Amino acid sequence: MGVRAVLLALVLGLFSVMGAWAGDAGPSFPKATSKALGGSCVDDPATMRRHHFDFLKHQRDDTLRQGIRGAKYSLKECVSCHAQVKDGHAVPVNAPGQFCASCHEYAAVSIDCFSCHATTPQHQQQVEATR
Amino acid sequence: MSHDTTRRDLLKAAAIGAVTIAPGLTLIAPPAQARAPGQPASPTNRWGLLIDTSKCDQGCTACVDACKTEMGLPALDRPATDAQYIRKVDVRDPKTGNQHSLPVMCQHCAKPPCVDVCPTGASMKRADGIVLVDRHICIGCRYCMMACPYKARSFAHEDQTGQSAHNPRGKGCVEGCTLCAHRIDAGGQPACVEACSKEGGAAMLFGDLNDPKSEISQRISKEATSRIRADLGVDPAIRYQGI
Ligand code: SF4
Ligand code: SF4
């Protein structure tokens, strides 16, 4: 084994250790509240983590421009399941420490979904409107 | 053969949709059905309204109020810039003194000038004739507001909060009446029409202009109706009676 190969092995080993460490220090966020979908997300968590933005970006065009409703992926449903309710009031999903914000902050991603889209679920909006 | 039978049965069932209770008295089944999940809007439909101005009271704002609530539009009491999807317009014939009050919203033109002028493709017409702004790509240039002959669109000047879940809206985009596409897709009717029939003068009728059996088509085929500025040739889906 050449010196280079040894160095490479060392560096890779170091990375795997760092990887494990990074995994432990990942963002913490509240668990989904709604059991509307049988308590599980529409796809497995790893796929959702990696691809939710792609799914939503395609779905938004289908819904708005073609009028396709009831799609598998929907921002409304994300909000519906992941918004916390505190003292009878829905907490916006983009508030600090909440489901959407915690990961986006950790990953230094700046999104503008919520400059337009509702950050609390429709059912909760209706409940609060009648109070 | 069996295919034929099935088709005939279907046609029969369709004919039963309009039930004759007694001679001259026909009960027409509600026009709208929720579209199946995954199905796009269809060009076989063209949604429209018939508004009878003789039933519309000048002081009534039931439709305007219902729209604000449904679409989550804040009332900031700044008439020049507040978002407005539907408004009441009072008209008076100076010669005769004859007065009318009519609700005016996006007329969901078949040949919409707002779509023609939009540089980004954000102004668009859905297959079923509903004209929308795709705010994902709207750059807020407001060309469409200039082009619209009906003053139907608004611009969001400020950061928005507390949006309604079915009407995403934000600063820097143009917006307007969606004919409550979210309700129509679920088989319902626009919020203004519902409010008008409950709290107003029941002046508005919603339906499918492409379906000859719908109540709206039946009425416009028999009764005199008009469209605002029909001379412009933009073919609006909103018809009026009594003006
Ligand atoms: S009324 Fe105005 S906004 Fe509506 S479709 Fe016609 S031109 Fe476009
Ligand atoms: S304001 Fe938006 S919708 Fe209107 S013309 Fe400009 S880009 Fe198109």
Side-chain angles (χ1 to χ4, degrees):
Chain A
M1 223 189 323
V3 180
R4 271 214 229 151
V6 172
L7 275 178
L8 188 65
L10 272 176
V11 169
L12 283 179
L14 192 61
F15 268 142
S16 68
V17 171
M18 278 172 66
W21 173 77
D24 293 342
S28 67
F29 46 81
K31 289 264 177 289
T33 51
S34 169
K35 297 281 174 280
L37 293 156
S40 61
C41 193
V42 292
D43 221 326
D44 68 276
T47 311
M48 287 308 281
R49 246 172 246 144
R50 181 69 192 82
H51 295 293
H52 64 281
F53 35 92
D54 295 321
F55 297 148
L56 291 174
K57 194 168 179 186
H58 286 110
Q59 184 272 332
R60 73 180 197 185
D61 295 334
D62 292 349
T63 300
L64 195 142
R65 303 190 75 94
Q66 297 183 53
I68 295 173
R69 303 276 178 180
K72 181 175 175 186
Y73 306 102
S74 137
L75 184 58
K76 230 189 215 175
E77 290 301 319
C78 298
V79 173
S80 196
C81 285
H82 288 288
Q84 304 284 300
V85 177
K86 206 176 160 198
D87 307 328
H89 292 277
V91 185
V93 285
N94 62 340
Q98 294 303 307
F99 185 78
C100 296
S102 53
C103 273
H104 292 151
E105 267 162 26
Y106 179 78
V109 183
S110 146
I111 59 160
D112 59 9
C113 304
F114 298 117
S115 54
C116 288
H117 283 273
T119 53
T120 53
Q122 190 169 13
H123 53 82
Q124 191 65 28
Q125 285 178 1
Q126 280 160 357
V127 170
E128 289 176 30
T130 55
R131 281 207 287 257
Chain B
M1 180 65 203
S2 70
H3 181 81
D4 263 18
T5 321
T6 320
R7 237 190 97 185
R8 212 177 295 134
D9 288 347
L10 272 178
L11 287 174
K12 243 191 266 168
I16 294 169
V19 188
T20 308
I21 304 167
L25 186 62
T26 314
L27 185 70
I28 298 173
Q33 288 271 303
R35 201 165 52 247
Q39 289 302 305
S42 161
T44 54
N45 304 118
R46 183 166 187 227
W47 305 113
L49 297 176
L50 176 60
I51 300 169
D52 186 347
T53 57
S54 67
K55 292 183 186 163
C56 182
D57 187 53
Q58 194 172 336
C60 177
T61 55
C63 54
V64 178
D65 299 340
C67 179
K68 291 212 163 103
T69 308
E70 178 75 13
M71 300 310 238
L73 305 180
L76 303 170
D77 210 18
R78 290 177 221 143
T81 53
D82 271 359
Q84 185 180 52
Y85 295 1
I86 177 171
R87 65 205 154 99
K88 287 294 295 291
V89 176
D90 297 326
V91 289
R92 180 174 173 272
D93 184 338
K95 286 247 163 67
T96 62
N98 188 324
Q99 289 193 18
H100 291 285
S101 176
L102 50 149
V104 179
M105 69 294 281
C106 170
Q107 307 284 297
H108 298 280
C109 312
K111 297 176 204 156
C114 57
V115 175
D116 292 343
V117 300
C118 177
T120 63
S123 261
M124 46 100 36
K125 187 172 71 162
R126 231 168 66 155
D128 56 2
I130 298 179
V131 177
L132 299 171
V133 181
D134 182 350
R135 281 168 271 189
H136 299 123
I137 56 175
C138 171
I139 56 171
C141 69
R142 289 168 265 179
Y143 281 10
C144 55
M145 289 178 75
M146 296 290 205
C148 173
Y150 301 99
K151 208 178 168 187
R153 287 196 171 168
S154 299
F155 181 73
H157 291 261
E158 293 157 74
D159 281 326
Q160 304 293 331
T161 52
Q163 290 93 334
S164 153
H166 43 247
N167 187 39
R169 55 186 299 273
K171 181 181 177 179
C173 287
V174 162
E175 54 193 331
C177 158
T178 65
L179 209 61
C180 282
H182 62 284
R183 282 168 161 250
I184 295 175
D185 291 348
Q189 52 179 352
C192 55
V193 177
E194 202 176 280
C196 184
S197 69
K198 281 190 193 145
E199 302 142 37
M204 300 165 103
L205 174 65
F206 164 77
D208 185 358
L209 298 167
N210 274 359
D211 174 9
K213 287 211 281 294
S214 69
E215 191 182 349
I216 189 167
S217 297
Q218 298 272 321
R219 274 189 53 194
I220 64 175
S221 71
K222 293 192 192 97
E223 298 164 27
T225 59
S226 56
R227 293 182 279 188
I228 307 174
R229 290 302 306 269
D231 57 313
L232 295 171
V234 294
D235 194 1
I238 316 297
R239 286 182 172 267
Y240 292 85
Q241 272 183 314
I243 51 168

